[in-house]
Amino acid sequence: MKFRFTRVLQFNFEDEEGYGVDTITGKDIVKIAVEAGANTIAFFARDAWGRAFYNSKIARKISKLGERDLLKEIVEEASKHGIYVIPMIGHTTNPELFSKHPDWAQRHLNGEIITMDTDPSSLPRENFTWPLMCLNSPFLDHVLKEVEEVLRYGVSGIFLDSFRYMPDVDRACFCEWCRKKFSEENGFELPGEEDLRSEAYRKSFMWRLNVNIRSLKVISEKLRKINSGAILVYNNHPLAWRGRANSISELSRDFVDVFFAECSETDYQPPGFIAEMVKLTRAITGKPVWATRNSFHMALTPRQTTDIAIRQGLREAFAGGGWPIYLMFASTFMNKQDLMHVKRVYEEIGRLEEYMFDAEPLPYVGIVFSNRSRDWSGEKMSPHITDSFRGFYYALLLEGFPVNYISDTCLDEGKFREYKSIILANTWSISTSGIKYIKKYYSKNGGMIATYKAGILDEHGKELEETRLEEVLGLKYRSLIRSNWSYIRVVKNHPVTDSIEGKFILWGDFDREFVTRRTPPEIGWHVYAINDHADVLGYVTLTNRDFGNEYENGRSPPPPVINTSIPGITVGDKWVYFSGQPGRIFWRTGSPQIRKLIINSIRYVAGPPPVKVKSYGFTELEAYRRNGQILIHLLNHTYPDRIIVRGNTAINTMWTSTSESVHPPTKITPLTDTKIYVRDFEISKVYEPLSNRTYEYRQRRNIVEIDIPRLDEYMFLVLDLR
Ligand SMILES: [Zn+2]
């Protein structure tokens, strides 16, 4: 069946005093949806204060509604316009419920309540506002009753926010319910300290992830029992919650119908971020994905952001293979906002969505976004592991190449065969079945790039004496080189080192906070691994100090003085191994030399891309295939005035001006003379459904060259194959 919930308006009241509740009616909200061209409305039927927006038997109705029932108002009005309604319930903060059942709240190891309040670290509020409820307490039964209540209104499904039940000790729940349940099920007490070498700790980590998954399963079963046609939506929020929500989503994919990639970080993230999060969520779940472009800038809810930020953000969700949500709050509405930009994009999507229902990403390079590797690396290393994946992703995106993530599950099940190459960028954890499929894939001519500690852990987070890569690439593990700064000395001319031979490539970076350390953890480290039959293109050169003196004494890198014979870049037939973390350093610093190494390596192991875009700006290419067609989205991200300023430390009281500016773009630079190259496909027609224009192309041997004389904000092209 075709996916129906393709253009979403999310409208939220989330104010303590119920700002706007007494003036904004269900009719008003539906009117916004109609004006915006949305076909689905999502909104809080029960808010984070624990108050219902409908006549509930289990929750107090927000008093500003008086006799009104907002859920009923919305459902009745929406049905007149053929708009679906999916209420949000089950919010894990619930002060009303907490006041009756304080023992249902999540508690830190020291017994303090775990909250969802955002406070400056040295300025906590006097009394907490939003306590988080525990999924192991009867709170879950309360959520099930909410499911029952809202489904009676004839809604199309329910929408759950992230549960915020974290597996990491510093954020984990140690309430009586959890302690009791854990010891009953496992026969020992919940460990109170992160220790990844301990099997008991790793077990408790998985157990806590499973508490989320089991809860989703229970809710899903309840939902289906009442209405088998209703859908369950879960907020994945891929960049938040240390990425643990990604693990929860990957493991609960069978119970959830739609995953919501909340993209609240987009204003501080690179262009292409929303599409990236959609592609990630699709890769780990295989389910339809919703993604947000908020109506506002950062957290400044009452102020609408720029037209271009809204349009490109919504389009990114679609180009990434998902479906956009436009989120607005009551304060944004009260401030009179302009819906023209949303309408324009939602009209485009309305006309194009038909193409995307059965479209599959065009496979070229699959970067393993390994939730397990990130989780098993511990609290300190977690974000840095993800940086390795994202560095490769953005190097390819900036190059105009098609790029996709693949998941641990995808490796475990061998579902990556169509990719020309896979990238194991610091993929610490590889499963027994994963490596079996990788071996088979490699023997059938699949390419591979691996870096640093790829394969040092099994799927359960247990450290191995020999890395999994030994089985496939014959790389023998010797030891770990712990150096805060290092270099790679490129000694050999090869397609991988093209144009960088003879250089010392700086392999490190200073810490941006510069409060507790000079360099981020493990940034300059290397794995000393050898394969006597492979070609070594570069060696590790070490430094003899913790920091250098040039320019900024204490922050800059020390010079390369100790040449070693430790291989830094090793290449074999269709594989490249980096002893350090090129993806991570590129993500942090944009090093052009490392970018070159990444792109050269990809060309070497995967061959040239099947589709590529060349432009004088930053053009995001998203390529898909469906029966007899290739589909191409081009998003022009050439934003001349998107300003993001950041300092070189977290605390600097000596600057003349602050370093905190974040501006949304107000325009794009249109691009002339953009070209798309398509390889190994025969094409009979190139056209743009939105304008009904056809495009000129030239076929030279196996390469088709398509001219795009002018690229404005966005273009969607269909290539009919012969
Ligand atoms: Zn608990």
Side-chain angles (χ1 to χ4, degrees), residues 611-642:
V611 182
K612 179 191 142 128
V613 63
K614 199 170 153 243
S615 78
Y616 293 102
F618 175 14
T619 305
E620 177 178 354
L621 165 81
E622 299 297 348
Y624 297 84
R625 58 182 176 178
R626 73 200 282 247
N627 199 12
Q629 289 175 330
I630 290 178
L631 311 172
I632 289 178
H633 299 260
L634 295 182
L635 274 148
N636 182 358
H637 288 309
T638 316
Y639 306 116
D641 59 357
R642 186 181 193 253

mmCIF file of all heavy atoms in Angstrom, residues 611-642:
data_model
loop_
_atom_site.group_PDB
_atom_site.id
_atom_site.type_symbol
_atom_site.label_atom_id
_atom_site.label_comp_id
_atom_site.label_asym_id
_atom_site.label_seq_id
_atom_site.Cartn_x
_atom_site.Cartn_y
_atom_site.Cartn_z
ATOM 1 N N VAL A 611 26.570 7.820 -10.883
ATOM 2 C CA VAL A 611 26.039 9.160 -11.156
ATOM 3 C C VAL A 611 26.887 10.136 -10.380
ATOM 4 O O VAL A 611 27.336 9.840 -9.273
ATOM 5 C CB VAL A 611 24.576 9.310 -10.656
ATOM 6 C CG1 VAL A 611 24.037 10.691 -11.001
ATOM 7 C CG2 VAL A 611 23.681 8.247 -11.229
ATOM 8 N N LYS A 612 27.073 11.307 -10.965
ATOM 9 C CA LYS A 612 27.885 12.295 -10.281
ATOM 10 C C LYS A 612 27.415 13.669 -10.723
ATOM 11 O O LYS A 612 27.010 13.848 -11.865
ATOM 12 C CB LYS A 612 29.342 12.062 -10.708
ATOM 13 C CG LYS A 612 30.347 13.012 -10.123
ATOM 14 C CD LYS A 612 31.681 12.842 -10.822
ATOM 15 C CE LYS A 612 32.254 14.222 -10.940
ATOM 16 N NZ LYS A 612 33.537 14.489 -10.496
ATOM 17 N N VAL A 613 27.473 14.650 -9.823
ATOM 18 C CA VAL A 613 27.127 16.009 -10.224
ATOM 19 C C VAL A 613 28.363 16.887 -10.079
ATOM 20 O O VAL A 613 29.140 16.727 -9.137
ATOM 21 C CB VAL A 613 25.935 16.582 -9.401
ATOM 22 C CG1 VAL A 613 26.260 16.688 -7.931
ATOM 23 C CG2 VAL A 613 25.504 17.944 -9.929
ATOM 24 N N LYS A 614 28.531 17.764 -11.076
ATOM 25 C CA LYS A 614 29.661 18.692 -11.020
ATOM 26 C C LYS A 614 29.094 20.098 -11.110
ATOM 27 O O LYS A 614 28.350 20.412 -12.048
ATOM 28 C CB LYS A 614 30.590 18.411 -12.212
ATOM 29 C CG LYS A 614 31.970 18.957 -12.016
ATOM 30 C CD LYS A 614 32.911 18.443 -13.103
ATOM 31 C CE LYS A 614 34.014 19.460 -13.306
ATOM 32 N NZ LYS A 614 34.038 20.063 -14.622
ATOM 33 N N SER A 615 29.405 20.900 -10.114
ATOM 34 C CA SER A 615 28.877 22.271 -10.159
ATOM 35 C C SER A 615 29.882 23.218 -9.523
ATOM 36 O O SER A 615 30.842 22.782 -8.895
ATOM 37 C CB SER A 615 27.540 22.346 -9.417
ATOM 38 O OG SER A 615 27.755 22.390 -8.021
ATOM 39 N N TYR A 616 29.640 24.501 -9.689
ATOM 40 C CA TYR A 616 30.546 25.501 -9.119
ATOM 41 C C TYR A 616 30.138 25.908 -7.709
ATOM 42 O O TYR A 616 30.663 26.846 -7.150
ATOM 43 C CB TYR A 616 30.654 26.721 -10.042
ATOM 44 C CG TYR A 616 31.331 26.374 -11.341
ATOM 45 C CD1 TYR A 616 30.590 26.171 -12.505
ATOM 46 C CD2 TYR A 616 32.709 26.190 -11.392
ATOM 47 C CE1 TYR A 616 31.217 25.809 -13.696
ATOM 48 C CE2 TYR A 616 33.342 25.819 -12.572
ATOM 49 C CZ TYR A 616 32.579 25.632 -13.723
ATOM 50 O OH TYR A 616 33.200 25.267 -14.877
ATOM 51 N N GLY A 617 29.142 25.219 -7.168
ATOM 52 C CA GLY A 617 28.742 25.511 -5.793
ATOM 53 C C GLY A 617 28.712 24.220 -5.019
ATOM 54 O O GLY A 617 29.398 23.265 -5.358
ATOM 55 N N PHE A 618 27.883 24.163 -3.987
ATOM 56 C CA PHE A 618 27.697 22.920 -3.250
ATOM 57 C C PHE A 618 26.332 22.370 -3.638
ATOM 58 O O PHE A 618 25.301 22.882 -3.240
ATOM 59 C CB PHE A 618 27.796 23.183 -1.747
ATOM 60 C CG PHE A 618 27.495 21.964 -0.876
ATOM 61 C CD1 PHE A 618 27.440 20.674 -1.400
ATOM 62 C CD2 PHE A 618 27.285 22.129 0.486
ATOM 63 C CE1 PHE A 618 27.165 19.576 -0.597
ATOM 64 C CE2 PHE A 618 27.001 21.028 1.306
ATOM 65 C CZ PHE A 618 26.939 19.752 0.756
ATOM 66 N N THR A 619 26.346 21.340 -4.454
ATOM 67 C CA THR A 619 25.109 20.725 -4.907
ATOM 68 C C THR A 619 24.994 19.326 -4.335
ATOM 69 O O THR A 619 25.867 18.492 -4.561
ATOM 70 C CB THR A 619 25.089 20.649 -6.450
ATOM 71 O OG1 THR A 619 25.306 21.962 -6.962
ATOM 72 C CG2 THR A 619 23.751 20.135 -6.949
ATOM 73 N N GLU A 620 23.954 19.116 -3.572
ATOM 74 C CA GLU A 620 23.717 17.776 -3.019
ATOM 75 C C GLU A 620 23.031 16.924 -4.067
ATOM 76 O O GLU A 620 22.035 17.332 -4.659
ATOM 77 C CB GLU A 620 22.838 17.881 -1.764
ATOM 78 C CG GLU A 620 22.495 16.519 -1.180
ATOM 79 C CD GLU A 620 21.654 16.596 0.095
ATOM 80 O OE1 GLU A 620 21.425 17.711 0.596
ATOM 81 O OE2 GLU A 620 21.229 15.525 0.564
ATOM 82 N N LEU A 621 23.587 15.740 -4.286
ATOM 83 C CA LEU A 621 22.994 14.796 -5.230
ATOM 84 C C LEU A 621 22.372 13.656 -4.445
ATOM 85 O O LEU A 621 23.014 13.074 -3.576
ATOM 86 C CB LEU A 621 24.086 14.238 -6.145
ATOM 87 C CG LEU A 621 23.718 12.987 -6.949
ATOM 88 C CD1 LEU A 621 22.924 13.355 -8.198
ATOM 89 C CD2 LEU A 621 24.966 12.200 -7.350
ATOM 90 N N GLU A 622 21.103 13.371 -4.721
ATOM 91 C CA GLU A 622 20.478 12.166 -4.168
ATOM 92 C C GLU A 622 19.939 11.375 -5.355
ATOM 93 O O GLU A 622 19.136 11.897 -6.134
ATOM 94 C CB GLU A 622 19.346 12.519 -3.193
ATOM 95 C CG GLU A 622 19.785 13.332 -1.974
ATOM 96 C CD GLU A 622 20.770 12.615 -1.044
ATOM 97 O OE1 GLU A 622 20.963 11.393 -1.208
ATOM 98 O OE2 GLU A 622 21.348 13.288 -0.184
ATOM 99 N N ALA A 623 20.423 10.150 -5.511
ATOM 100 C CA ALA A 623 20.063 9.363 -6.696
ATOM 101 C C ALA A 623 19.333 8.081 -6.303
ATOM 102 O O ALA A 623 19.711 7.420 -5.348
ATOM 103 C CB ALA A 623 21.328 9.025 -7.489
ATOM 104 N N TYR A 624 18.297 7.775 -7.046
ATOM 105 C CA TYR A 624 17.470 6.590 -6.776
ATOM 106 C C TYR A 624 17.247 5.835 -8.071
ATOM 107 O O TYR A 624 17.399 6.379 -9.169
ATOM 108 C CB TYR A 624 16.112 7.010 -6.195
ATOM 109 C CG TYR A 624 16.230 7.704 -4.869
ATOM 110 C CD1 TYR A 624 16.493 9.071 -4.793
ATOM 111 C CD2 TYR A 624 16.113 6.985 -3.684
ATOM 112 C CE1 TYR A 624 16.646 9.695 -3.568
ATOM 113 C CE2 TYR A 624 16.248 7.606 -2.455
ATOM 114 C CZ TYR A 624 16.514 8.960 -2.401
ATOM 115 O OH TYR A 624 16.658 9.578 -1.193
ATOM 116 N N ARG A 625 16.815 4.598 -7.921
ATOM 117 C CA ARG A 625 16.399 3.860 -9.109
ATOM 118 C C ARG A 625 15.022 3.263 -8.832
ATOM 119 O O ARG A 625 14.662 2.989 -7.687
ATOM 120 C CB ARG A 625 17.400 2.744 -9.421
ATOM 121 C CG ARG A 625 17.542 1.795 -8.257
ATOM 122 C CD ARG A 625 18.564 0.724 -8.527
ATOM 123 N NE ARG A 625 18.681 -0.077 -7.310
ATOM 124 C CZ ARG A 625 19.459 -1.127 -7.172
ATOM 125 N NH1 ARG A 625 20.212 -1.529 -8.163
ATOM 126 N NH2 ARG A 625 19.504 -1.799 -6.047
ATOM 127 N N ARG A 626 14.247 3.144 -9.877
ATOM 128 C CA ARG A 626 13.005 2.393 -9.805
ATOM 129 C C ARG A 626 12.833 1.761 -11.175
ATOM 130 O O ARG A 626 13.677 1.964 -12.048
ATOM 131 C CB ARG A 626 11.827 3.299 -9.424
ATOM 132 C CG ARG A 626 11.373 4.233 -10.543
ATOM 133 C CD ARG A 626 10.585 5.397 -10.023
ATOM 134 N NE ARG A 626 9.218 5.062 -9.702
ATOM 135 C CZ ARG A 626 8.160 5.528 -10.368
ATOM 136 N NH1 ARG A 626 8.315 6.309 -11.451
ATOM 137 N NH2 ARG A 626 6.949 5.227 -9.995
ATOM 138 N N ASN A 627 11.808 1.022 -11.326
ATOM 139 C CA ASN A 627 11.612 0.293 -12.564
ATOM 140 C C ASN A 627 11.812 1.156 -13.817
ATOM 141 O O ASN A 627 11.007 2.022 -14.110
ATOM 142 C CB ASN A 627 10.191 -0.277 -12.538
ATOM 143 C CG ASN A 627 10.050 -1.394 -13.526
ATOM 144 O OD1 ASN A 627 11.062 -1.885 -14.053
ATOM 145 N ND2 ASN A 627 8.816 -1.780 -13.808
ATOM 146 N N GLY A 628 12.907 0.929 -14.538
ATOM 147 C CA GLY A 628 13.129 1.625 -15.803
ATOM 148 C C GLY A 628 13.546 3.085 -15.698
ATOM 149 O O GLY A 628 13.605 3.786 -16.706
ATOM 150 N N GLN A 629 13.812 3.546 -14.499
ATOM 151 C CA GLN A 629 14.160 4.960 -14.339
ATOM 152 C C GLN A 629 15.248 5.175 -13.289
ATOM 153 O O GLN A 629 15.369 4.409 -12.341
ATOM 154 C CB GLN A 629 12.926 5.761 -13.890
ATOM 155 C CG GLN A 629 11.880 5.904 -14.974
ATOM 156 C CD GLN A 629 10.619 6.581 -14.469
ATOM 157 O OE1 GLN A 629 10.269 6.454 -13.295
ATOM 158 N NE2 GLN A 629 9.932 7.288 -15.348
ATOM 159 N N ILE A 630 15.980 6.263 -13.513
ATOM 160 C CA ILE A 630 16.842 6.783 -12.447
ATOM 161 C C ILE A 630 16.238 8.123 -12.049
ATOM 162 O O ILE A 630 15.828 8.912 -12.912
ATOM 163 C CB ILE A 630 18.291 6.953 -12.934
ATOM 164 C CG1 ILE A 630 18.916 5.576 -13.161
ATOM 165 C CG2 ILE A 630 19.114 7.736 -11.921
ATOM 166 C CD1 ILE A 630 20.320 5.638 -13.682
ATOM 167 N N LEU A 631 16.157 8.369 -10.750
ATOM 168 C CA LEU A 631 15.593 9.619 -10.241
ATOM 169 C C LEU A 631 16.709 10.412 -9.578
ATOM 170 O O LEU A 631 17.484 9.853 -8.807
ATOM 171 C CB LEU A 631 14.498 9.322 -9.213
ATOM 172 C CG LEU A 631 13.450 8.294 -9.620
ATOM 173 C CD1 LEU A 631 12.548 7.967 -8.438
ATOM 174 C CD2 LEU A 631 12.621 8.818 -10.793
ATOM 175 N N ILE A 632 16.764 11.680 -9.898
ATOM 176 C CA ILE A 632 17.841 12.499 -9.350
ATOM 177 C C ILE A 632 17.271 13.757 -8.682
ATOM 178 O O ILE A 632 16.506 14.504 -9.291
ATOM 179 C CB ILE A 632 18.842 12.884 -10.464
ATOM 180 C CG1 ILE A 632 19.620 11.630 -10.876
ATOM 181 C CG2 ILE A 632 19.785 13.986 -10.003
ATOM 182 C CD1 ILE A 632 20.595 11.847 -11.989
ATOM 183 N N HIS A 633 17.651 13.935 -7.425
ATOM 184 C CA HIS A 633 17.346 15.202 -6.747
ATOM 185 C C HIS A 633 18.630 16.018 -6.719
ATOM 186 O O HIS A 633 19.675 15.499 -6.326
ATOM 187 C CB HIS A 633 16.952 14.979 -5.284
ATOM 188 C CG HIS A 633 15.739 14.129 -5.080
ATOM 189 N ND1 HIS A 633 14.506 14.664 -4.809
ATOM 190 C CD2 HIS A 633 15.584 12.788 -5.062
ATOM 191 C CE1 HIS A 633 13.630 13.677 -4.633
ATOM 192 N NE2 HIS A 633 14.253 12.521 -4.780
ATOM 193 N N LEU A 634 18.544 17.269 -7.098
ATOM 194 C CA LEU A 634 19.672 18.177 -6.936
ATOM 195 C C LEU A 634 19.235 19.295 -6.004
ATOM 196 O O LEU A 634 18.243 19.980 -6.252
ATOM 197 C CB LEU A 634 20.086 18.798 -8.278
ATOM 198 C CG LEU A 634 20.642 17.877 -9.361
ATOM 199 C CD1 LEU A 634 21.027 18.705 -10.587
ATOM 200 C CD2 LEU A 634 21.847 17.091 -8.855
ATOM 201 N N LEU A 635 19.947 19.462 -4.914
ATOM 202 C CA LEU A 635 19.652 20.550 -3.983
ATOM 203 C C LEU A 635 20.824 21.510 -3.999
ATOM 204 O O LEU A 635 21.962 21.110 -3.742
ATOM 205 C CB LEU A 635 19.498 19.993 -2.565
ATOM 206 C CG LEU A 635 18.128 19.479 -2.200
ATOM 207 C CD1 LEU A 635 18.250 18.326 -1.224
ATOM 208 C CD2 LEU A 635 17.312 20.603 -1.560
ATOM 209 N N ASN A 636 20.521 22.736 -4.301
ATOM 210 C CA ASN A 636 21.588 23.733 -4.330
ATOM 211 C C ASN A 636 21.789 24.294 -2.917
ATOM 212 O O ASN A 636 20.942 25.002 -2.395
ATOM 213 C CB ASN A 636 21.207 24.840 -5.317
ATOM 214 C CG ASN A 636 22.295 25.890 -5.429
ATOM 215 O OD1 ASN A 636 23.312 25.811 -4.758
ATOM 216 N ND2 ASN A 636 22.069 26.874 -6.296
ATOM 217 N N HIS A 637 22.919 23.942 -2.313
ATOM 218 C CA HIS A 637 23.210 24.416 -0.957
ATOM 219 C C HIS A 637 24.221 25.562 -0.966
ATOM 220 O O HIS A 637 24.950 25.744 0.006
ATOM 221 C CB HIS A 637 23.799 23.273 -0.118
ATOM 222 C CG HIS A 637 22.808 22.218 0.270
ATOM 223 N ND1 HIS A 637 21.603 22.504 0.859
ATOM 224 C CD2 HIS A 637 22.872 20.860 0.180
ATOM 225 C CE1 HIS A 637 20.961 21.351 1.112
ATOM 226 N NE2 HIS A 637 21.699 20.355 0.691
ATOM 227 N N THR A 638 24.310 26.288 -2.051
ATOM 228 C CA THR A 638 25.277 27.382 -2.110
ATOM 229 C C THR A 638 24.691 28.609 -1.415
ATOM 230 O O THR A 638 24.026 29.431 -2.038
ATOM 231 C CB THR A 638 25.643 27.675 -3.584
ATOM 232 O OG1 THR A 638 25.841 26.427 -4.252
ATOM 233 C CG2 THR A 638 26.885 28.529 -3.687
ATOM 234 N N TYR A 639 24.913 28.663 -0.121
ATOM 235 C CA TYR A 639 24.336 29.726 0.713
ATOM 236 C C TYR A 639 25.413 30.762 1.020
ATOM 237 O O TYR A 639 26.298 30.509 1.842
ATOM 238 C CB TYR A 639 23.822 29.145 2.035
ATOM 239 C CG TYR A 639 22.852 27.992 1.886
ATOM 240 C CD1 TYR A 639 23.178 26.722 2.346
ATOM 241 C CD2 TYR A 639 21.603 28.189 1.291
ATOM 242 C CE1 TYR A 639 22.282 25.662 2.221
ATOM 243 C CE2 TYR A 639 20.711 27.130 1.163
ATOM 244 C CZ TYR A 639 21.059 25.865 1.632
ATOM 245 O OH TYR A 639 20.184 24.817 1.505
ATOM 246 N N PRO A 640 25.362 31.933 0.381
ATOM 247 C CA PRO A 640 26.455 32.883 0.596
ATOM 248 C C PRO A 640 26.434 33.559 1.966
ATOM 249 O O PRO A 640 27.445 34.100 2.402
ATOM 250 C CB PRO A 640 26.251 33.912 -0.519
ATOM 251 C CG PRO A 640 24.819 33.798 -0.895
ATOM 252 C CD PRO A 640 24.413 32.378 -0.629
ATOM 253 N N ASP A 641 25.313 33.518 2.657
ATOM 254 C CA ASP A 641 25.272 34.273 3.919
ATOM 255 C C ASP A 641 24.864 33.428 5.123
ATOM 256 O O ASP A 641 24.358 33.938 6.099
ATOM 257 C CB ASP A 641 24.343 35.490 3.780
ATOM 258 C CG ASP A 641 22.916 35.090 3.418
ATOM 259 O OD1 ASP A 641 22.660 33.886 3.213
ATOM 260 O OD2 ASP A 641 22.056 35.990 3.335
ATOM 261 N N ARG A 642 25.094 32.150 5.037
ATOM 262 C CA ARG A 642 24.840 31.313 6.219
ATOM 263 C C ARG A 642 26.071 31.434 7.109
ATOM 264 O O ARG A 642 27.153 30.943 6.773
ATOM 265 C CB ARG A 642 24.629 29.859 5.794
ATOM 266 C CG ARG A 642 24.218 28.937 6.930
ATOM 267 C CD ARG A 642 24.059 27.512 6.414
ATOM 268 N NE ARG A 642 23.376 26.655 7.377
ATOM 269 C CZ ARG A 642 23.984 25.713 8.092
ATOM 270 N NH1 ARG A 642 25.275 25.522 7.967
ATOM 271 N NH2 ARG A 642 23.291 24.973 8.939
#
